[in-house]
Amino acid sequence: MSTAFRTCPVTRLKVHSQADALIKANAVAATIFLIVGGIAAFLVLLTRWQVVHLLDAAWFYRMLTIHGMSMLIFFILFFEMAVLYFAGPVVLSSRVPAPRIGWLSFVVMAIGALTVEWAMWTGRADVMFSSYVPLKAHWSYYLGVILFAVGALTVVGLFFASLVVAKRERTYEGSIPLVTFGALTAAIIAVVTLGHGAAIYIPTFLWSIGVMHVDPAVYRLVFWGLGHSAQQINLGAMVALWYMLGALTVGAVVLNEKISRSAFVLYILFINMAAAHHLLVDPVAGPAWKVWNTSYAMYLAVLASMVHGFTIPAGIEVGQRLRGVTQGMFGWLRKAPWGDPGFSSLIFSIVIFGFVGGITGVTFGTEQINLIAHNTLRIPGHFHATVVGGTALAFMGATYYLIPLIFRKQVAFWPLAKIQPYVFAFGMLVFTMAMTFAGTFGVPRRHWDITFSNTSFDLQYSPAVDLVIGIMAVGGLIAALGGAMYVLVTVWSVFFGRRFDLETVKTGGQI
């Protein structure tokens, strides 16, 4: 394998050729699954909108399963593998240890993901994202998830090894950079998360071929150590990208690295406890367990998010003021580079994640409110705000810098790229808020027909529900448009875009 390096003309980082190639491969794979999951989301949305009600029940649950797995697992984790290769070898200017293992891991992840997609698209796995036992999918579905998890866990191991290699070869001085520390946080959480996945999906695979029995209550308990905690990997990666985007867009500074690093440590210790809020309606867990896991210790993870939510905007302000933007109290914000899609994605990600996702997450994570909200649209309203409005927007913002820095291409359709975060963020904000309000009227989160038209009873909602669902659908369509703009810009840039040269960078041209 090649050990060649190139020097990035923008950041002056030494980029190992294998890190460069592995980032590209994982980023392209992530985009492919984003497209697949986006198509499924569009069809689910048009079915949830009662005026259209596009799909029948079988295809609705099929598309819901495809949307969940393609977005929450495959898109997110493939992108996070690219983040690990960037935050490790690239940020530390070191090589990828055992690159052949990296490529083998990518192939295993791809085979696993494609196996799951095959099972879902052919109707062999209409079990939705949670795939609760005793719902049974074809054995290939569980095997595909296991293969994907093994590949991802191997990449995490390579990331840890890259830190050791960089330290031994002295490619950096002092402590690892904060961005790498955030990625390390995500990697540690990933080990715990994927361990839960192995602990439950291996027995479930054996159950699917008739070898053993799996208790439904045990399945739910262990599964959410994977299903929810997988989104906590996103959280660590997302916050790391917040710090990176702040530095790249406006030269943001870190006010106090010890405080920021301590907040990441709080994530490692306490964030996975939030998975318990999926089990608050289960009778098998006692009240003491539920209260402990959804209150006292979990709030330390909430504290960590609040620390980042304050320090990153403060670092942006200080960075702006150090560069001469000192007029008035909010001049630094008014004169920020709002036309830079990396910066606008960063700000919208922080706002939507922090205010909409954060507030709803803390409230729905309490037992009393959870009993009321659990099976309503309030819950997907929350996690669309966190995972989509927060994580996906941060990933989009990072992409606008990965295209020139890694793919060495100019961002295509620049006027379109500049407004893409605004379109996506506005649509997702309307979508998540309307979905949350619909849930307050008791609209169910998973039922194909919210009116229960084929049942023997008559269900009457508030007259406001039709209006709120309509607003939700419009917001979803706007967000889908923003997602399509992102795909168009990134795919065209990567495969058909113009390469930029050093002179473009020196003269301050658009890269």
Side-chain angles (χ1 to χ4, degrees):
M1 288 290 182
S2 172
T3 58
F5 286 84
R6 67 175 175 86
T7 300
C8 173
V10 179
T11 62
R12 310 310 301 172
L13 293 172
K14 291 173 60 180
V15 181
H16 185 226
S17 60
Q18 291 301 316
D20 188 85
L22 285 164
I23 290 171
K24 292 176 181 177
N26 281 278
V28 169
T31 304
I32 291 171
F33 287 104
L34 173 65
I35 294 171
V36 173
I39 292 171
F42 182 74
L43 297 175
V44 168
L45 176 66
L46 292 182
T47 305
R48 283 227 180 264
W49 194 4
Q50 288 295 126
V51 174
V52 179
H53 207 54
L54 180 65
L55 302 176
D56 61 21
W59 274 100
F60 171 77
Y61 290 113
R62 190 164 301 157
M63 288 298 108
L64 199 58
T65 306
I66 292 168
H67 172 59
M69 291 299 295
S70 299
M71 292 296 213
L72 290 175
I73 300 296
F74 302 144
F75 159 60
I76 292 290
L77 284 179
F78 266 119
F79 200 98
E80 284 166 356
M81 298 303 103
V83 170
L84 291 183
Y85 285 118
F86 182 84
V90 174
V91 172
L92 299 179
S93 296
S94 68
R95 61 184 175 86
V96 176
R100 286 189 177 88
I101 295 179
W103 285 109
L104 178 62
S105 301
F106 174 78
V107 171
V108 171
M109 289 177 67
I111 292 173
L114 292 174
T115 302
V116 172
E117 292 287 346
W118 173 81
M120 294 187 297
W121 280 98
T122 56
R124 291 173 169 82
D126 297 338
V127 291
M128 295 187 289
F129 170 73
S130 52
S131 56
Y132 286 147
V133 172
L135 290 175
K136 183 182 288 187
H138 189 262
W139 60 264
S140 59
Y141 174 85
Y142 305 109
L143 180 61
V145 174
I146 292 169
L147 289 174
F148 184 85
V150 168
L153 190 58
T154 306
V155 175
V156 172
L158 280 178
F159 172 76
F160 292 144
S162 70
L163 301 185
V164 175
V165 168
K167 187 69 174 178
R168 287 180 176 176
E169 298 181 355
R170 301 179 182 275
T171 61
Y172 69 96
E173 297 180 359
S175 301
I176 59 175
L178 188 60
V179 172
T180 306
F181 192 87
L184 175 62
T185 299
I188 293 172
I189 296 173
V191 173
V192 178
T193 300
L194 296 171
H196 279 87
I200 198 57
Y201 268 103
I202 292 175
T204 309
F205 166 71
L206 297 175
W207 166 72
S208 71
I209 60 176
V211 173
M212 65 179 293
H213 171 72
V214 175
D215 182 84
V218 172
Y219 177 90
R220 284 173 57 84
L221 176 65
V222 183
F223 168 80
W224 283 114
L226 166 72
H228 189 276
S229 301
Q231 313 322 311
Q232 311 310 336
I233 307 173
N234 308 344
L235 179 62
M238 176 189 70
V239 175
L241 291 178
W242 283 355
Y243 282 104
M244 184 189 81
L245 287 171
L248 290 176
T249 55
V250 296
V253 300
V254 180
L255 298 183
N256 189 313
E257 283 219 11
K258 290 183 179 179
I259 294 294
S260 296
R261 290 173 190 265
S262 298
F264 278 119
V265 172
L266 289 177
Y267 279 154
I268 296 171
L269 296 177
F270 300 108
I271 193 65
N272 282 340
M273 301 180 77
H277 79 244
H278 293 278
L279 306 171
L280 293 179
V281 297
D282 284 27
V284 294
W289 183 89
K290 293 177 180 179
V291 170
W292 173 257
N293 280 277
T294 58
S295 58
Y296 305 112
M298 191 192 76
Y299 292 147
L300 293 173
V302 177
L303 172 64
S305 293
M306 294 178 67
V307 168
H308 294 307
F310 281 108
T311 58
I312 294 172
I316 292 172
E317 178 182 356
V318 172
Q320 286 278 77
R321 291 185 182 279
L322 288 175
R323 285 157 181 79
V325 185
T326 58
Q327 299 81 6
M329 185 177 294
F330 296 106
W332 63 274
L333 186 61
R334 192 170 57 252
K335 293 189 177 181
W338 292 100
D340 180 347
F343 181 81
S344 57
S345 295
L346 165 65
I347 298 300
F348 294 144
S349 174
I350 293 173
V351 171
I352 296 176
F353 177 89
F355 287 94
V356 183
I359 292 172
T360 56
V362 172
T363 54
F364 298 162
T366 58
E367 185 174 9
Q368 298 89 336
I369 299 176
N370 191 278
L371 291 171
I372 301 171
H374 186 76
N375 283 319
T376 72
L377 280 180
R378 295 170 74 178
I379 302 303
H382 153 69
F383 63 69
H384 277 83
T386 55
V387 179
V388 187
T391 302
L393 257 174
F395 287 1
M396 289 174 178
T399 302
Y400 290 117
Y401 280 84
L402 289 176
I403 289 172
L405 299 183
I406 299 299
F407 290 91
R408 288 178 281 178
K409 297 289 187 71
Q410 294 187 35
V411 176
F413 308 119
W414 184 245
L416 191 67
K418 291 170 65 175
I419 65 171
Q420 182 272 323
Y422 292 87
V423 175
F424 186 81
F426 175 76
M428 191 50 59
L429 186 60
V430 172
F431 177 75
T432 55
M433 294 290 288
M435 185 179 283
T436 302
F437 278 117
T440 64
F441 292 104
V443 177
R445 62 181 286 197
R446 285 177 168 171
H447 202 278
W448 162 68
D449 182 3
I450 66 172
T451 65
F452 295 87
S453 57
N454 295 323
T455 59
S456 58
F457 56 86
D458 181 29
L459 179 64
Q460 296 292 330
Y461 293 108
S462 165
V465 167
D466 288 339
L467 174 62
V468 174
I469 292 294
I471 294 173
M472 181 194 80
V474 172
L477 292 174
I478 295 172
L481 174 62
M485 292 164 61
Y486 167 77
V487 170
L488 173 63
V489 169
T490 55
V491 170
W492 193 277
S493 299
V494 168
F495 292 102
F496 309 107
R498 295 172 53 193
R499 295 185 68 87
F500 75 88
D501 53 26
L502 186 58
E503 288 305 311
T504 305
V505 179
K506 286 180 176 179
T507 57
Q510 182 266 311
I511 63 170

